[in-house]
Amino acid sequence: KKQALAYDMWLARVNAAGGIDVDGQKKRVTLVTYDYQSDSKRAQQLAEKLITDDKVHVVMAPFGSGHTKIVAGVAERYGVPVVASVASSESVYDQGFKNLFGTLASNSGLVDAMLTLFTREQPSIKKVAILGRDDVFPRDMAETMRTRAGSAGLEVVYSEFYSNGTIDHSAALAKIKGLSPDWIYITGYSQDLILARKQMHDIGLTAPIVTMITGPAYREFIDGLGPLAEGVTSVTWWHHTTTYTSEDVWGSTKAFYEDFKLREPSDPDYIHASSAAALVAVQKAIETAGSLEPAKISGALRTLNVTTFYGPIVFDEHGMNAARDLPILQVQGHEVKV
């Protein structure tokens, strides 16, 4: 739903201006959409249908790293570019795909940003406990922390995974409590993290730093926890308080934020922004290529270097958005502070 809202925002803007400029001719845009129902096989079938039946010029990837990988494999066979807005795991981009591009920075960049800031701000922290959901993105974030913590002078005293659908974290949290870590680092999705935070409270588990990836980036996490969200940290790819002046249909982060607020009562999060930015990237690539040929669009995406309301978009050799300043978050007074 967040992707769809962002796509509609971009579509309204670009078509109100007459469409995308293709070699001097304005072309109005049509979005062809299907619900793949979070089903891997259906995602594969619909990607094929979009390319062979609907004759799309570009495929926008589905939500998450796992299904993006599946769709990218299909599109690669046809040489059609795939632009992903919610896939950040390096394991998706190291497959040799020539036509996959993602607007999120890599997971390792997120972890490095936290390690740098937290060890500088709290040099006394020495022990980190890691609990991760066994799913592509949260697993990758947990593994990245496990492998990089040592270089920051931290000892990993606990590192385990929980399965999708887990409804009780108390056993793992009790083990963590017995190890007295300085930093508790948990990955998952909002409902996983809300449950874990409540169960931490139930057993009296605390630490100087509590990080939940990417809980505080979502309003539903804060609202779902109330006072228990206080002090929880995270990191994200974008925040609406950033101040980019851009070369896109919005012109600035502020203008995107104001456009969003005309539609929704809540603030936009990184999914909204990354999704809109993915279509900005497509628009810029088509305008640069002066063509709707998929191969030429992919070529223009590979060399794209543009500042958007979302920040810089420059795709590296693997198709990921290159390193950039990433906002680190903490819940303070029921609000996210960067």
PDB file of all heavy atoms in Angstrom, residues 145-167:
ATOM      1  N   MET A 145      25.578  -7.249  11.419  1.00  0.00           N
ATOM      2  CA  MET A 145      26.012  -6.794  12.737  1.00  0.00           C
ATOM      3  C   MET A 145      26.963  -7.805  13.377  1.00  0.00           C
ATOM      4  O   MET A 145      27.998  -7.430  13.953  1.00  0.00           O
ATOM      5  CB  MET A 145      24.799  -6.564  13.638  1.00  0.00           C
ATOM      6  CG  MET A 145      25.151  -6.246  15.092  1.00  0.00           C
ATOM      7  SD  MET A 145      26.227  -4.800  15.290  1.00  0.00           S
ATOM      8  CE  MET A 145      25.032  -3.488  15.142  1.00  0.00           C
ATOM      9  N   ARG A 146      26.640  -9.091  13.259  1.00  0.00           N
ATOM     10  CA  ARG A 146      27.493 -10.125  13.868  1.00  0.00           C
ATOM     11  C   ARG A 146      28.908 -10.084  13.293  1.00  0.00           C
ATOM     12  O   ARG A 146      29.891 -10.201  14.024  1.00  0.00           O
ATOM     13  CB  ARG A 146      26.875 -11.504  13.639  1.00  0.00           C
ATOM     14  CG  ARG A 146      27.642 -12.653  14.317  1.00  0.00           C
ATOM     15  CD  ARG A 146      27.053 -14.003  13.975  1.00  0.00           C
ATOM     16  NE  ARG A 146      27.159 -14.301  12.559  1.00  0.00           N
ATOM     17  CZ  ARG A 146      28.267 -14.750  11.971  1.00  0.00           C
ATOM     18  NH1 ARG A 146      29.367 -14.940  12.677  1.00  0.00           N
ATOM     19  NH2 ARG A 146      28.285 -15.006  10.675  1.00  0.00           N
ATOM     20  N   THR A 147      29.021  -9.904  11.974  1.00  0.00           N
ATOM     21  CA  THR A 147      30.337  -9.952  11.339  1.00  0.00           C
ATOM     22  C   THR A 147      31.125  -8.648  11.494  1.00  0.00           C
ATOM     23  O   THR A 147      32.349  -8.660  11.435  1.00  0.00           O
ATOM     24  CB  THR A 147      30.210 -10.281   9.848  1.00  0.00           C
ATOM     25  OG1 THR A 147      29.361  -9.314   9.214  1.00  0.00           O
ATOM     26  CG2 THR A 147      29.596 -11.663   9.655  1.00  0.00           C
ATOM     27  N   ARG A 148      30.427  -7.520  11.722  1.00  0.00           N
ATOM     28  CA  ARG A 148      31.120  -6.241  11.769  1.00  0.00           C
ATOM     29  C   ARG A 148      31.334  -5.699  13.185  1.00  0.00           C
ATOM     30  O   ARG A 148      32.089  -4.750  13.371  1.00  0.00           O
ATOM     31  CB  ARG A 148      30.363  -5.199  10.935  1.00  0.00           C
ATOM     32  CG  ARG A 148      30.403  -5.504   9.446  1.00  0.00           C
ATOM     33  CD  ARG A 148      29.647  -4.484   8.631  1.00  0.00           C
ATOM     34  NE  ARG A 148      29.717  -4.804   7.211  1.00  0.00           N
ATOM     35  CZ  ARG A 148      30.455  -4.152   6.315  1.00  0.00           C
ATOM     36  NH1 ARG A 148      31.189  -3.128   6.699  1.00  0.00           N
ATOM     37  NH2 ARG A 148      30.468  -4.520   5.057  1.00  0.00           N
ATOM     38  N   ALA A 149      30.678  -6.291  14.151  1.00  0.00           N
ATOM     39  CA  ALA A 149      30.784  -5.781  15.523  1.00  0.00           C
ATOM     40  C   ALA A 149      32.221  -5.816  16.033  1.00  0.00           C
ATOM     41  O   ALA A 149      32.682  -4.881  16.703  1.00  0.00           O
ATOM     42  CB  ALA A 149      29.871  -6.586  16.444  1.00  0.00           C
ATOM     43  N   GLY A 150      32.942  -6.886  15.730  1.00  0.00           N
ATOM     44  CA  GLY A 150      34.313  -7.035  16.219  1.00  0.00           C
ATOM     45  C   GLY A 150      35.229  -5.917  15.784  1.00  0.00           C
ATOM     46  O   GLY A 150      36.080  -5.449  16.560  1.00  0.00           O
ATOM     47  N   SER A 151      35.055  -5.456  14.542  1.00  0.00           N
ATOM     48  CA  SER A 151      35.918  -4.384  14.037  1.00  0.00           C
ATOM     49  C   SER A 151      35.670  -3.074  14.770  1.00  0.00           C
ATOM     50  O   SER A 151      36.500  -2.162  14.739  1.00  0.00           O
ATOM     51  CB  SER A 151      35.695  -4.192  12.537  1.00  0.00           C
ATOM     52  OG  SER A 151      34.370  -3.783  12.280  1.00  0.00           O
ATOM     53  N   ALA A 152      34.518  -2.975  15.442  1.00  0.00           N
ATOM     54  CA  ALA A 152      34.208  -1.778  16.226  1.00  0.00           C
ATOM     55  C   ALA A 152      34.551  -1.971  17.702  1.00  0.00           C
ATOM     56  O   ALA A 152      34.215  -1.128  18.538  1.00  0.00           O
ATOM     57  CB  ALA A 152      32.721  -1.433  16.080  1.00  0.00           C
ATOM     58  N   GLY A 153      35.203  -3.089  18.026  1.00  0.00           N
ATOM     59  CA  GLY A 153      35.622  -3.342  19.398  1.00  0.00           C
ATOM     60  C   GLY A 153      34.555  -3.943  20.281  1.00  0.00           C
ATOM     61  O   GLY A 153      34.661  -3.903  21.510  1.00  0.00           O
ATOM     62  N   LEU A 154      33.524  -4.540  19.673  1.00  0.00           N
ATOM     63  CA  LEU A 154      32.432  -5.119  20.447  1.00  0.00           C
ATOM     64  C   LEU A 154      32.499  -6.652  20.434  1.00  0.00           C
ATOM     65  O   LEU A 154      32.864  -7.258  19.428  1.00  0.00           O
ATOM     66  CB  LEU A 154      31.078  -4.678  19.878  1.00  0.00           C
ATOM     67  CG  LEU A 154      30.797  -3.173  19.835  1.00  0.00           C
ATOM     68  CD1 LEU A 154      29.466  -2.914  19.168  1.00  0.00           C
ATOM     69  CD2 LEU A 154      30.820  -2.584  21.240  1.00  0.00           C
ATOM     70  N   GLU A 155      32.092  -7.240  21.542  1.00  0.00           N
ATOM     71  CA  GLU A 155      32.005  -8.696  21.643  1.00  0.00           C
ATOM     72  C   GLU A 155      30.546  -9.114  21.443  1.00  0.00           C
ATOM     73  O   GLU A 155      29.643  -8.583  22.099  1.00  0.00           O
ATOM     74  CB  GLU A 155      32.480  -9.167  23.021  1.00  0.00           C
ATOM     75  CG  GLU A 155      32.330 -10.670  23.230  1.00  0.00           C
ATOM     76  CD  GLU A 155      32.560 -11.089  24.674  1.00  0.00           C
ATOM     77  OE1 GLU A 155      32.806 -10.192  25.527  1.00  0.00           O
ATOM     78  OE2 GLU A 155      32.462 -12.303  24.945  1.00  0.00           O
ATOM     79  N   VAL A 156      30.309 -10.051  20.538  1.00  0.00           N
ATOM     80  CA  VAL A 156      28.973 -10.586  20.329  1.00  0.00           C
ATOM     81  C   VAL A 156      28.754 -11.715  21.327  1.00  0.00           C
ATOM     82  O   VAL A 156      29.349 -12.783  21.215  1.00  0.00           O
ATOM     83  CB  VAL A 156      28.785 -11.096  18.885  1.00  0.00           C
ATOM     84  CG1 VAL A 156      27.392 -11.711  18.710  1.00  0.00           C
ATOM     85  CG2 VAL A 156      28.985  -9.953  17.881  1.00  0.00           C
ATOM     86  N   VAL A 157      27.913 -11.487  22.318  1.00  0.00           N
ATOM     87  CA  VAL A 157      27.701 -12.482  23.378  1.00  0.00           C
ATOM     88  C   VAL A 157      26.511 -13.392  23.078  1.00  0.00           C
ATOM     89  O   VAL A 157      26.340 -14.428  23.724  1.00  0.00           O
ATOM     90  CB  VAL A 157      27.506 -11.801  24.750  1.00  0.00           C
ATOM     91  CG1 VAL A 157      28.786 -11.074  25.157  1.00  0.00           C
ATOM     92  CG2 VAL A 157      26.318 -10.835  24.736  1.00  0.00           C
ATOM     93  N   TYR A 158      25.685 -12.998  22.099  1.00  0.00           N
ATOM     94  CA  TYR A 158      24.519 -13.814  21.740  1.00  0.00           C
ATOM     95  C   TYR A 158      24.158 -13.491  20.299  1.00  0.00           C
ATOM     96  O   TYR A 158      24.137 -12.323  19.900  1.00  0.00           O
ATOM     97  CB  TYR A 158      23.329 -13.479  22.645  1.00  0.00           C
ATOM     98  CG  TYR A 158      22.087 -14.315  22.389  1.00  0.00           C
ATOM     99  CD1 TYR A 158      21.857 -15.502  23.065  1.00  0.00           C
ATOM    100  CD2 TYR A 158      21.116 -13.901  21.464  1.00  0.00           C
ATOM    101  CE1 TYR A 158      20.711 -16.267  22.831  1.00  0.00           C
ATOM    102  CE2 TYR A 158      19.976 -14.655  21.225  1.00  0.00           C
ATOM    103  CZ  TYR A 158      19.781 -15.834  21.911  1.00  0.00           C
ATOM    104  OH  TYR A 158      18.662 -16.587  21.682  1.00  0.00           O
ATOM    105  N   SER A 159      23.891 -14.521  19.498  1.00  0.00           N
ATOM    106  CA  SER A 159      23.464 -14.313  18.117  1.00  0.00           C
ATOM    107  C   SER A 159      22.630 -15.506  17.683  1.00  0.00           C
ATOM    108  O   SER A 159      23.167 -16.586  17.451  1.00  0.00           O
ATOM    109  CB  SER A 159      24.673 -14.140  17.187  1.00  0.00           C
ATOM    110  OG  SER A 159      24.257 -13.932  15.863  1.00  0.00           O
ATOM    111  N   GLU A 160      21.323 -15.297  17.608  1.00  0.00           N
ATOM    112  CA  GLU A 160      20.408 -16.373  17.222  1.00  0.00           C
ATOM    113  C   GLU A 160      19.308 -15.807  16.327  1.00  0.00           C
ATOM    114  O   GLU A 160      19.085 -14.596  16.270  1.00  0.00           O
ATOM    115  CB  GLU A 160      19.773 -17.033  18.458  1.00  0.00           C
ATOM    116  CG  GLU A 160      20.758 -17.731  19.383  1.00  0.00           C
ATOM    117  CD  GLU A 160      21.382 -18.980  18.787  1.00  0.00           C
ATOM    118  OE1 GLU A 160      20.802 -19.503  17.790  1.00  0.00           O
ATOM    119  OE2 GLU A 160      22.419 -19.425  19.300  1.00  0.00           O
ATOM    120  N   PHE A 161      18.586 -16.732  15.661  1.00  0.00           N
ATOM    121  CA  PHE A 161      17.484 -16.353  14.796  1.00  0.00           C
ATOM    122  C   PHE A 161      16.186 -16.962  15.294  1.00  0.00           C
ATOM    123  O   PHE A 161      16.186 -18.036  15.898  1.00  0.00           O
ATOM    124  CB  PHE A 161      17.736 -16.811  13.362  1.00  0.00           C
ATOM    125  CG  PHE A 161      18.877 -16.093  12.696  1.00  0.00           C
ATOM    126  CD1 PHE A 161      20.139 -16.661  12.659  1.00  0.00           C
ATOM    127  CD2 PHE A 161      18.693 -14.847  12.127  1.00  0.00           C
ATOM    128  CE1 PHE A 161      21.200 -16.005  12.068  1.00  0.00           C
ATOM    129  CE2 PHE A 161      19.741 -14.170  11.534  1.00  0.00           C
ATOM    130  CZ  PHE A 161      21.000 -14.756  11.503  1.00  0.00           C
ATOM    131  N   TYR A 162      15.081 -16.268  15.037  1.00  0.00           N
ATOM    132  CA  TYR A 162      13.760 -16.818  15.323  1.00  0.00           C
ATOM    133  C   TYR A 162      13.016 -16.983  13.998  1.00  0.00           C
ATOM    134  O   TYR A 162      13.245 -16.242  13.031  1.00  0.00           O
ATOM    135  CB  TYR A 162      12.974 -15.921  16.287  1.00  0.00           C
ATOM    136  CG  TYR A 162      12.697 -14.517  15.798  1.00  0.00           C
ATOM    137  CD1 TYR A 162      11.525 -14.210  15.095  1.00  0.00           C
ATOM    138  CD2 TYR A 162      13.593 -13.477  16.050  1.00  0.00           C
ATOM    139  CE1 TYR A 162      11.263 -12.924  14.661  1.00  0.00           C
ATOM    140  CE2 TYR A 162      13.339 -12.183  15.613  1.00  0.00           C
ATOM    141  CZ  TYR A 162      12.171 -11.916  14.914  1.00  0.00           C
ATOM    142  OH  TYR A 162      11.918 -10.644  14.472  1.00  0.00           O
ATOM    143  N   SER A 163      12.133 -17.944  13.920  1.00  0.00           N
ATOM    144  CA  SER A 163      11.435 -18.238  12.671  1.00  0.00           C
ATOM    145  C   SER A 163      10.284 -17.272  12.442  1.00  0.00           C
ATOM    146  O   SER A 163       9.770 -16.646  13.380  1.00  0.00           O
ATOM    147  CB  SER A 163      10.920 -19.674  12.684  1.00  0.00           C
ATOM    148  OG  SER A 163      10.015 -19.857  13.758  1.00  0.00           O
ATOM    149  N   ASN A 164       9.881 -17.151  11.179  1.00  0.00           N
ATOM    150  CA  ASN A 164       8.715 -16.339  10.831  1.00  0.00           C
ATOM    151  C   ASN A 164       7.493 -16.880  11.569  1.00  0.00           C
ATOM    152  O   ASN A 164       7.297 -18.089  11.654  1.00  0.00           O
ATOM    153  CB  ASN A 164       8.455 -16.382   9.327  1.00  0.00           C
ATOM    154  CG  ASN A 164       9.615 -15.815   8.524  1.00  0.00           C
ATOM    155  OD1 ASN A 164      10.581 -15.319   9.079  1.00  0.00           O
ATOM    156  ND2 ASN A 164       9.525 -15.901   7.218  1.00  0.00           N
ATOM    157  N   GLY A 165       6.703 -15.993  12.104  1.00  0.00           N
ATOM    158  CA  GLY A 165       5.505 -16.423  12.807  1.00  0.00           C
ATOM    159  C   GLY A 165       5.714 -16.717  14.279  1.00  0.00           C
ATOM    160  O   GLY A 165       4.785 -17.140  14.969  1.00  0.00           O
ATOM    161  N   THR A 166       6.917 -16.502  14.789  1.00  0.00           N
ATOM    162  CA  THR A 166       7.185 -16.723  16.213  1.00  0.00           C
ATOM    163  C   THR A 166       6.289 -15.820  17.063  1.00  0.00           C
ATOM    164  O   THR A 166       6.197 -14.614  16.817  1.00  0.00           O
ATOM    165  CB  THR A 166       8.664 -16.441  16.541  1.00  0.00           C
ATOM    166  OG1 THR A 166       9.475 -17.388  15.848  1.00  0.00           O
ATOM    167  CG2 THR A 166       8.931 -16.561  18.034  1.00  0.00           C
ATOM    168  N   ILE A 167       5.639 -16.414  18.054  1.00  0.00           N
ATOM    169  CA  ILE A 167       4.717 -15.630  18.897  1.00  0.00           C
ATOM    170  C   ILE A 167       5.194 -15.544  20.345  1.00  0.00           C
ATOM    171  O   ILE A 167       4.479 -15.049  21.209  1.00  0.00           O
ATOM    172  CB  ILE A 167       3.287 -16.207  18.849  1.00  0.00           C
ATOM    173  CG1 ILE A 167       3.276 -17.668  19.302  1.00  0.00           C
ATOM    174  CG2 ILE A 167       2.704 -16.068  17.444  1.00  0.00           C
ATOM    175  CD1 ILE A 167       1.875 -18.243  19.447  1.00  0.00           C
TER     176      ILE A 167
END
